[in-house]
Amino acid sequence: MATRLFLACMVLLSMAMAAAAARPATATTADDALPTGSCDQDLQDLIANCQNYVKFPADPKIPPSAACCAVVKRVNIPCLCSKVTPTVETLICMDKVVYVASYCKRPLTPGSQCGSYPVPGGSLP
C-alpha cells in the first residue's frame, strides 16, 4: 500500500514539474524554438532538475540552477502543460513556475493559460 501511495505521489509530482515550463498548445513563449525529446523524458528531466524551485510555499522565490534552466529551455511546453491538472496545481506553486520560466529566459506569454492557471502579465518580480 505504501509503495502504491509513493508511486501515485511521484506521478503527481512528475505532472506538477511539467508546469515548470508549461503552457497549453495555444499559448506561446518568448522563445518558441522547436521542442526536442519526448514529453515523458522532459517531465523526468524537470523533476530531476527543477522540483526544488517550484514547490510551496510561494516565498521565497529561489533562482533556479543552470541545469534547471537548460531543461526549461528545451522542453515541449504544449505537451507538458497538457498534463497540468487542478491536483497538480495543489502540489506546486504556479507563481514559482512562472518565475522559473521567466528567470530561464523562456517566459510564458502573459494571458496564456497552463492547466487552470492564467499566466499573469508583467515581468520578473
Side-chain angles (χ1 to χ4, degrees), residues 26 41 48 66 75 95 106 110:
T26 58
Q41 185 60 53
V75 296
D95 287 334
R106 194 163 182 207

Side-chain angles (χ1 to χ4, degrees), residues 6-8 15-16 19 24 33 39 56 59 69 71 86-88 90 94 97 103 108-109:
F6 175 76
L7 290 174
M15 291 172 59
C39 193
F56 282 106
D59 287 307
C69 284
V71 173
T87 301
V88 168
T90 67
M94 293 301 291
V97 169
Y103 186 92
L108 303 179
T109 301

Side-chain angles (χ1 to χ4, degrees), residues 7-80:
L7 290 174
C9 288
M10 287 307 297
V11 167
L12 289 175
L13 181 59
S14 297
M15 291 172 59
M17 290 309 304
R23 70 174 196 283
T26 58
T28 58
T29 61
D31 178 17
D32 249 350
L34 292 176
T36 60
S38 74
C39 193
D40 290 338
Q41 185 60 53
D42 288 348
L43 188 55
Q44 294 304 313
D45 292 346
L46 282 170
I47 292 167
N49 293 285
C50 299
Q51 69 182 339
N52 292 331
Y53 307 107
V54 296
K55 294 189 293 189
F56 282 106
D59 287 307
K61 290 180 176 71
I62 301 166
S65 67
C68 175
C69 284
V71 173
V72 168
K73 288 178 181 180
R74 69 161 179 75
V75 296
N76 183 329
I77 290 173
C79 180
L80 293 172

